Amino acid sequence: MTALPREARLYPAFFNTFFKGMDAEKAHHVGFSMIRAAESTGASVGLRRATRPAKTLTTRVMGLDFPSPFGLAAGFDKQGLGTAALADLGFGHIEVGTITGEAQPGNPAPRLFRLVEDRALINRMGFNNDGARAVAPRLKATRQTLTRRFGRRRPVLGVNIGKTKTVALEEATQDYLASTAALAVHADYLVVNVSSPNTPGLRQLQDIEALAPLLAAVREEADRTTGRHVPLAVKIAPDLADDDVDSVAAMAVELGLDGVIATNTTIAREGLATPAAEIETMGAGGLSGAPLKERSLEVLTRLRDALPHTVALISVGGVTTGADVRERLELGADLVQGYTAFLYEGPFWAARINRELAR
């Protein structure tokens, strides 16, 4: 890998000057627009060469070859609008979404808040997206672009699907199947998200009695509509009790799932440096970032003990450094994802982690 530019070391000052005082959702849109502009102007061609993971980091998981074990979690690119631009930053995979069967605006703003002292976020975005039918052609174009630019070692494209807010729980399976029918053909792997705290009732689908038939139906529809096996994973919450984590593991084995992603955001607020009164004004939502690290590691260890290595474990929650990624790999994770630290570490974050892993 080529040496990273000096700007990689200047980002903290840039963040403090331009983004720290800006509304968090606006800052996200501004930052993402800058990443997309680098691609559209051709500036990211050199960036692509500088950030491309070393060949030694190639990892085979779920029957797919990942250029690096480190990828970008769902939530950053909800719409599939800038996935190819993000790929130029060195991520081994990018998970798009969460995408729902129908378009929806999400929850009213403000709905994204930074806890800078905690290196964390609180969000109640509410799966804001254009809907599966609108996102599908973007994913098709993205796959073609990634193949053209990277060849056989292209970043892997994951697709994360969730329930439309207005759809009743008893009709959730059909809603997930509508997304599957539209999106699976463009996905390298598919994720069923039943763990966001921001869609009313969604976490009830983590109950095994509801979850097992849902996953079985999505898997059957994905394979039927694509004519191939589409690796399927489920994303779970850190707030599950240990017994429920064990039940998810047993179900994953019984259904022959390809992977489990652990964990999503938490509704807990313990142990934060940000003043409680300030957190109270932010309201409800899922907490992500550094405070999730301990519980994420606990769930990872518990799942790895319970799961055969034929079921991939993708660890996410509180990942910041290359050392964090390596720790999770050593604890049995097959892949590691990050998101919140991206907002604090800047565009060279993934490349920096890949360099640390390659040493």
Side-chain angles (χ1 to χ4, degrees), residues 187-250:
D188 291 320
Y189 71 88
L190 199 63
V191 180
V192 170
N193 184 354
V194 289
S195 51
S196 169
N198 300 317
T199 296
L202 181 69
R203 288 190 171 192
Q204 294 179 39
L205 294 176
Q206 290 181 120
D207 294 339
I208 298 302
E209 292 78 8
L211 184 56
L214 169 62
L215 292 170
V218 168
R219 181 178 59 188
E220 181 180 350
E221 180 70 3
D223 293 357
R224 183 189 68 80
T225 56
T226 63
R228 62 182 170 91
H229 175 61
V230 182
L232 177 65
V234 63
K235 187 168 187 176
I236 65 171
D239 306 312
L240 287 178
D242 287 346
D243 287 348
D244 292 326
V245 173
D246 294 341
S247 296
V248 168

Side-chain angles (χ1 to χ4, degrees), residues 86-233:
L86 290 166
D88 285 343
L89 302 181
F91 293 105
H93 68 279
I94 297 165
E95 196 169 298
V96 178
T98 296
I99 305 164
T100 54
E102 301 296 330
Q104 56 185 29
N107 292 320
R111 54 192 182 179
L112 183 66
F113 308 89
R114 282 187 299 262
L115 285 67
V116 177
E117 291 179 74
D118 293 289
R119 307 282 286 183
L121 290 173
I122 290 175
N123 95 83
R124 54 172 175 272
M125 301 300 290
F127 291 169
N128 53 305
N129 74 107
D130 294 333
R133 288 183 295 276
V135 176
R138 300 172 192 164
L139 298 179
K140 179 181 179 180
T142 295
R143 278 176 62 114
Q144 293 170 344
T145 298
L146 294 179
T147 300
R148 184 175 67 252
R149 290 179 180 172
F150 293 90
R152 296 181 64 181
R153 288 190 70 237
R154 70 167 175 82
V156 169
L157 181 61
V159 178
N160 183 303
I161 59 174
K163 186 184 81 67
T164 304
K165 182 177 182 179
T166 57
V167 170
L169 278 179
E170 55 268 22
E171 299 171 0
T173 296
Q174 291 305 312
D175 189 54
Y176 278 94
L177 292 182
S179 296
T180 302
L183 301 171
V185 68
H186 308 303
D188 291 320
Y189 71 88
L190 199 63
V191 180
V192 170
N193 184 354
V194 289
S195 51
S196 169
N198 300 317
T199 296
L202 181 69
R203 288 190 171 192
Q204 294 179 39
L205 294 176
Q206 290 181 120
D207 294 339
I208 298 302
E209 292 78 8
L211 184 56
L214 169 62
L215 292 170
V218 168
R219 181 178 59 188
E220 181 180 350
E221 180 70 3
D223 293 357
R224 183 189 68 80
T225 56
T226 63
R228 62 182 170 91
H229 175 61
V230 182
L232 177 65

